[in-house]
Amino acid sequence: FYAMYRYRLNQVLHVQQIRNKISADLHDELGSVLTQISLQSDMVSRDIYTEEEKQQELQNIRNTSREAILAMSDIVWSVSAGHDKASSLIDRMKDHADLMLQPMDIVPEFIISGIREDRVIDNQLRQELFLIFKEAIHNIVKHSSPTYVKIDMHNENGMFELKVKNDINTPRERQAIGGQGLKNMERRAEAIGGVLEIEAGENSYTVILKRKEI
């Protein structure tokens, strides 16, 4: 009876943990975006813009709304049991990189090795890996004007490593690519028992995540 009680209690705690995580993710990912949409809409409704400015603000609202939709899609994907294999994570990374880098006429290069695509990955690990990757790509798009982006992800000798590398054209780009986004990646890496490293070369910038193999 005690073993059955402990089993049911652990199941309840696990469900509660998932609920708390979804709640936190919704707050972090969507809270600021929805607030931004609300403020932008309020400013447009006050009729203080010229017609040209109003059209620009409406376009900003549309872009922000798309960000909210993508963020919601990421959260649903991260908790869906149907996407718990490594192959789903890899496909999601490729789709996101293509989506973000296509406007820059960049086809990202993916090198995947030593990862069993049929292996089931824990929800938290899968989500944090994707969000670290997503933040790295976002920083590239926002702060750099690269000609290439290379993603290397592999298991080797009991260790997992993810590298996101791009070229940079000015020292200013190297300086701008850090900031709050880097802190978020470091926090997420720590949450999954990993370490985040940065290699800022003369003409390149690399984000590296290391942890035990997945």
Side-chain angles (χ1 to χ4, degrees), residues 173-192:
E173 289 184 359
R174 187 186 302 111
Q175 183 177 5
I177 204 168
Q180 188 61 40
L182 181 57
K183 293 180 181 178
N184 288 337
M185 286 190 287
E186 290 174 341
R187 176 175 57 82
R188 294 186 183 283
E190 184 179 353
I192 56 174

Side-chain angles (χ1 to χ4, degrees), residues 47-112:
D47 203 24
I48 60 176
Y49 294 119
T50 65
E51 187 60 31
E52 183 178 352
E53 291 173 334
K54 184 179 292 187
Q55 291 303 316
Q56 181 59 51
E57 285 300 312
L58 289 173
Q59 182 60 47
N60 291 338
I61 292 174
R62 284 191 287 270
N63 292 339
T64 307
S65 300
R66 291 190 189 99
E67 291 180 14
I69 293 171
L70 290 174
M72 176 65 77
S73 176
D74 290 340
I75 292 172
V76 172
W77 169 82
S78 70
V79 298
S80 173
H83 301 292
D84 56 0
K85 293 184 179 179
S87 58
S88 179
L89 173 63
I90 293 170
D91 289 342
R92 190 76 177 183
M93 287 179 165
K94 290 181 176 179
D95 289 344
H96 182 75
D98 287 338
L99 177 67
M100 297 299 293
L101 297 172
Q102 187 176 27
M104 305 177 77
D105 293 323
I106 295 176
V107 178
E109 177 186 1
F110 274 84
I111 300 175
I112 312 292

Side-chain angles (χ1 to χ4, degrees), residues 118-180:
D118 62 341
R119 182 168 185 173
V120 174
I121 301 178
D122 174 76
N123 281 349
Q124 182 184 8
L125 174 58
R126 180 162 46 96
Q127 184 183 30
E128 299 295 6
L129 285 175
F130 176 72
L131 291 177
I132 290 170
F133 173 80
K134 181 179 177 181
E135 187 70 45
I137 297 296
H138 175 77
N139 283 344
I140 291 173
V141 172
K142 186 176 180 180
H143 300 299
S144 300
S145 302
T147 60
Y148 75 85
V149 175
K150 180 178 179 180
I151 296 101
D152 185 349
M153 187 164 64
H154 63 267
N155 282 325
E156 186 175 4
N157 299 324
M159 295 296 295
F160 168 81
E161 188 172 84
L162 168 65
K163 290 185 179 181
V164 181
K165 182 178 181 179
N166 65 283
D167 58 330
I168 54 178
N169 299 308
T170 66
R172 181 178 175 182
E173 289 184 359
R174 187 186 302 111
Q175 183 177 5
I177 204 168
Q180 188 61 40

